[in-house]
Amino acid sequence: GMVSMFLGFLVGGIAVVPFFLHGAIEIALHKHKMEQERSDLNKQLEIANRELSAFNYSVSHDLKTPLQGIQVISRFLLDENREQMNEKGKKYLARIQKATSQMEQIIDGLLALSEVTRSQLRFESVNLTALAQRIVEALRGIDPDRSGVIIVLEESLTAYGDFRRLEGALQNHLGNAWKFTRKQKAAKI
């Protein structure tokens, strides 16, 4: 009867679908295929993210050991040879210590990012101005010869987000700006 007109009918045991339903069936099949492809891509992305996170964690840990060796040796050189060392040598060792300290912070940031990708985001109010000032102070400490770089920071700038990710993004951007303005006499960031 009426149902067979809308759903199709059997002719000699073969399902026959009325012409007006062909388009709807094709759309439904295409939609199902697209959903399956999206699901497969999401699974592949999850696997790739887990592998990347594991790689990041492994490399970060592998970098910490030699970095700590550099820190210990430079401290030892400074402590044991302070009397014989000229001011220039002391400044170089102090710069090495500050640079390794910053590198350690970057590695810790990578490790934290590795953790963050495996954990939930923690949204909070973050004072971006204070965070940027801290990062700029670290950059100036590592590279004191660039004391003439003009840094312009927005006052009282806050954001609502995950502190670790915002800190990593600011370190990356300010570090790049610092690096790429190195050859400019009057750099302004």
Side-chain angles (χ1 to χ4, degrees), residues 4-184:
S4 65
M5 186 172 89
F6 288 104
L7 299 178
F9 49 91
L10 292 175
V11 175
I14 299 174
V16 178
V17 178
F19 180 73
F20 66 89
L21 289 179
H22 281 229
I25 291 171
E26 284 182 31
I27 290 171
L29 289 173
H30 182 70
K31 182 179 176 187
H32 176 74
K33 180 181 174 187
M34 296 298 289
E35 287 173 0
Q36 184 63 46
E37 287 176 5
R38 185 180 66 216
S39 175
D40 292 345
L41 287 172
N42 281 338
K43 287 176 187 173
Q44 291 173 7
L45 182 61
E46 285 176 23
I47 291 168
N49 279 338
R50 279 195 305 268
E51 289 172 355
L52 182 60
S53 180
F55 174 77
N56 180 21
Y57 184 80
S58 175
V59 168
S60 296
H61 270 285
D62 291 347
L63 290 173
K64 277 195 112 165
T65 302
L67 183 63
Q68 289 169 343
I70 294 169
Q71 289 172 326
V72 168
I73 290 169
S74 64
R75 243 183 267 125
F76 175 78
L77 283 172
L78 192 58
D79 292 344
E80 294 296 316
N81 299 301
R82 188 176 305 272
E83 308 304 321
Q84 298 90 346
M85 197 175 294
N86 64 19
E87 286 304 310
K88 193 173 189 179
K90 290 176 188 176
K91 283 183 183 178
Y92 285 145
L93 281 174
R95 286 174 66 181
I96 288 171
Q97 289 177 330
K98 286 183 181 181
T100 56
S101 176
Q102 184 187 22
M103 191 173 197
E104 186 174 36
Q105 288 176 350
I106 291 168
I107 291 170
D108 288 342
L110 287 171
L111 288 169
L113 181 60
S114 177
E115 267 181 44
V116 166
T117 58
R118 292 182 297 213
S119 64
Q120 295 293 325
L121 295 175
R122 285 190 16 212
F123 287 92
E124 59 186 299
S125 181
V126 178
N127 184 334
L128 295 178
T129 303
L131 185 56
Q133 286 171 337
R134 188 174 56 80
I135 293 167
V136 168
E137 286 172 17
L139 291 169
R140 287 190 191 278
I142 290 168
D143 201 354
D145 296 337
R146 297 198 60 209
S147 60
V149 175
I150 299 168
I151 307 290
V152 179
L153 298 174
E154 185 74 29
E155 289 186 31
S156 304
L157 183 63
T158 60
Y160 189 72
D162 185 87
F163 179 84
R164 289 180 181 172
R165 289 198 178 174
L166 290 170
E167 180 182 40
L170 274 176
Q171 282 178 335
N172 185 36
H173 289 296
L174 289 171
N176 284 340
W178 189 264
K179 181 173 36 176
F180 293 119
T181 58
R182 181 171 307 283
K183 294 181 181 177
Q184 295 178 10

